[in-house]
């Protein structure tokens, strides 16, 4: 029997990190504003939220993150200049980011971890289920992961995490989930979670990637969650408590994702994401793929 749960309309995007892996580029520029082809990474994330019907977006920021607010605001001087030039195509691109969703901002203050960043959203979210999207994971719009997670949450209630199977030697980079199968091939029941375990201690090779749909009960758990790995308040630790006792905030389910995901969390993966997305662009792909083939087969073979 399908249950009825409140419709989700709010998304929370934690964006208070220092971006130290991308220094010196991020000394004065937020890492979320680094371009992926010709759009900042954060715009892909907001576009994903909007495509899933989440038109109320709260960004949790920190110091030196003002460019994020400026990017999603109107720029009347630039728009006027483009309008006078008759450059309708670029004008549409400039206006696109400010028309995606209703944007809100709150500062995290102290960098106390992802769990603390999510807790900063409590006054805005209130007593409603909500989505959390991490900016390091870009999900291809042809693979609507977030929509599927919302469907699962609306059916079962509780919270939903996105899972992806990774190689055993990579699981220490993620949170790991202990899972039980369900009648849906892409949905599992989560019975336990461990943040960045050693491969020998991981309950499975199912890694949590940066998409969550959360019951508001998580706020009460986070307020009581002690700092964990890295001395930070871990969202994974709070979800472990919810999974262990569904009376607190309903069950925890996982959607197993097998689609296209672009990881911009480190320099190598960031470059690979740019290459993959550029190759798939209709306006850039043909010429870029031709150059890339020639570069790999000819120029890289030279001593």
């Amino acid at each position: 029997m399908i249950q009825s749960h409140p419709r989700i309309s709010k998304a929370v995007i934690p964006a208070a990190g220092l971006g130290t892996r991308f220094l010196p580029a991020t000394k004065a520029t937020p890492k979320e504003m680094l371009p992926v082809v010709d759009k900042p990474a954060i715009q892909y994330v907001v576009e994903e939220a909007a495509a899933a019907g989440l038109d109320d977006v709260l960004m949790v920021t920190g110091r030196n993150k003002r460019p994020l607010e400026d990017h999603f605001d109107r720029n009347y001087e630039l728009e006027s200049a483009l309008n006078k030039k008759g450059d309708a195509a670029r004008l549409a691109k400039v206006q696109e980011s400010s028309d995606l969703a209703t944007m809100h901002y709150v500062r995290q203050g102290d960098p106390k971890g992802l769990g603390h960043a999510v807790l900063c959203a409590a006054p805005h979210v209130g007593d409603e289920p909500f989505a959390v999207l991490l900016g390091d994971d870009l999900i291809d719009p042809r693979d609507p992961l977030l929509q599927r997670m919302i469907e699962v949450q609306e059916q079962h209630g509780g919270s939903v995490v996105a899972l992806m199977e990774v190689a055993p030697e990579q699981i220490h980079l993620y949170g790991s989930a202990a899972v039980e199968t369900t009648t849906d091939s892409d949905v599992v029941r989560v019975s336990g979670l461990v943040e960045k375990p050693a491969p020998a201690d991981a309950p499975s090779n199912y890694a949590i990637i940066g998409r969550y749909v959360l019951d508001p009960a998580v706020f009460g758990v986070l307020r009581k969650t002690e700092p964990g790995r890295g001395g930070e308040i871990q969202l994974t630790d709070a979800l472990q408590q919810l999974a262990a006792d569904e009376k607190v905030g309903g069950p925890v389910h996982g959607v197993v994702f097998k689609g296209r995901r672009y990881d911009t969390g480190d320099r190598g993966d960031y470059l690979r994401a740019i290459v993959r997305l550029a190759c798939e662009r209709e306006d850039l792909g043909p010429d870029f793929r031709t150059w890339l083939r020639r570069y790999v087969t000819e120029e890289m073979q030279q001593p």
Side-chain angles (χ1 to χ4, degrees):
M1 179 178 179
I2 296 179
Q3 304 177 47
S4 177
H5 298 278
R7 174 66 188 174
I8 298 171
S9 63
K10 295 179 179 179
V12 174
I13 302 177
L18 297 176
T20 53
R21 286 178 289 182
F22 283 85
L23 286 170
T26 50
K27 178 180 177 181
T29 302
K31 70 169 184 175
E32 297 84 4
M33 290 300 297
L34 295 179
V36 179
V37 188
D38 55 3
K39 287 191 294 191
I42 195 67
Q43 184 170 332
Y44 289 88
V45 180
V46 175
E47 287 174 349
E48 181 186 351
L54 310 182
D55 56 4
D56 184 321
V57 176
L58 175 70
M59 203 167 291
V60 183
T61 67
R63 294 186 62 189
N64 303 320
K65 298 286 185 167
R66 181 61 186 269
L68 295 172
E69 299 184 33
D70 291 340
H71 180 72
F72 292 101
D73 199 358
R74 298 292 298 273
N75 187 326
Y76 293 102
E77 294 83 359
L78 178 58
E79 292 176 28
S80 176
L82 293 171
N83 190 45
K84 288 179 181 179
K85 290 181 179 180
D87 195 339
R90 287 190 173 88
L91 177 60
K93 289 183 178 180
V94 168
Q95 293 176 331
E96 182 181 18
S97 60
S98 58
D99 294 336
L100 285 170
T102 301
M103 301 295 298
H104 308 270
Y105 303 89
V106 63
R107 284 198 174 189
Q108 184 178 5
D110 296 329
K112 297 180 180 178
L114 176 58
H116 181 260
V118 171
L119 188 54
C120 291
H124 180 80
V125 169
D127 193 27
E128 303 176 29
F130 63 104
V132 174
L133 298 85
L134 305 189
D136 286 347
D137 284 326
L138 307 187
I139 304 298
D140 194 294
R142 293 168 293 184
D143 301 312
L145 170 62
L146 190 56
Q147 288 97 317
R148 178 57 175 152
M149 294 175 68
I150 291 171
E151 290 173 3
V152 172
Q153 198 280 337
E154 289 178 338
Q155 180 178 355
H156 298 288
S159 298
V160 182
V161 299
L163 301 175
M164 176 175 280
E165 195 165 8
V166 300
E169 61 271 18
Q170 296 294 313
I171 195 64
H172 72 282
L173 300 173
Y174 303 87
S176 174
V179 302
E180 304 168 359
T181 60
T182 70
T183 55
D184 293 315
S185 60
D186 65 333
V187 178
V188 293
R189 184 75 168 260
V190 176
S191 58
L193 295 158
V194 181
E195 178 66 15
K196 296 182 178 179
D201 299 327
S204 76
N205 293 338
Y206 284 109
I208 305 171
I209 58 176
R211 297 295 181 270
Y212 308 81
V213 177
L214 302 177
D215 186 277
V218 73
F219 294 130
V221 177
L222 283 169
R223 291 187 184 100
K224 300 176 182 178
T225 299
E226 296 293 329
R229 188 177 181 88
E232 297 180 336
I233 298 174
Q234 298 290 349
L235 179 59
T236 302
D237 293 343
L239 288 170
Q240 160 60 26
Q241 294 187 48
L242 293 178
D245 184 3
E246 66 179 64
K247 294 179 182 178
V248 176
V252 178
H253 285 86
V255 171
V256 180
F257 182 62
K258 297 182 179 180
R260 287 156 285 199
R261 167 181 172 255
Y262 310 107
D263 184 355
T264 61
D266 64 50
R267 292 169 297 175
D269 286 333
Y270 171 75
L271 293 173
R272 282 185 281 272
I274 293 174
V275 171
R276 290 175 64 185
L277 286 168
C279 284
E280 295 182 3
R281 287 267 295 261
E282 292 183 2
D283 56 339
L284 298 172
D287 288 342
F288 184 67
R289 289 193 299 269
T290 299
W291 172 84
L292 189 60
R293 291 190 190 98
R294 185 171 64 249
Y295 176 71
V296 171
T297 58
E298 299 176 11
E299 296 184 37
M300 285 192 68
Q301 306 303 318
Q302 299 178 10

